[in-house]
Amino acid sequence: MVLLRYFAYVLALSIALAGRVSGQEQKDAFQPIDQPSPVALIGARCVFCHGPAVMLSFSRRLLNEAGPKALDVFLTRHHAPDKEARDAIVQFLSNQFGASN
């Protein structure tokens, strides 16, 4: 439980800082980024409404009970209809703390 809270705080901080860092990643600030990072996608599509703790708790429970495919199916109906965004979100949340599948 402590690890889950720690991860929620780290994720929230990462999302908060993602907007500030994304401008530094570009050589030309007026050129759009091809694909947002998974952290930015999660911030915009999940944490924006639900907060990091709720999002993390739900995604962990769904992944543990039914696996990455179930999270993908859920996201198809819930604010992530585009396959590229879903793939990035599912992969990121499935591999927390560098764990391998």
Side-chain angles (χ1 to χ4, degrees), residues 65-84:
E65 291 175 2
K69 180 68 176 161
L71 182 57
D72 184 64
V73 170
F74 173 77
L75 290 174
T76 302
R77 300 182 316 255
H78 194 77
H79 302 294
D82 50 322
K83 182 168 176 31
E84 294 81 20

Side-chain angles (χ1 to χ4, degrees), residues 32-44:
I33 297 174
D34 291 336
Q35 181 66 26
S37 72
V39 173
L41 289 168
I42 292 168

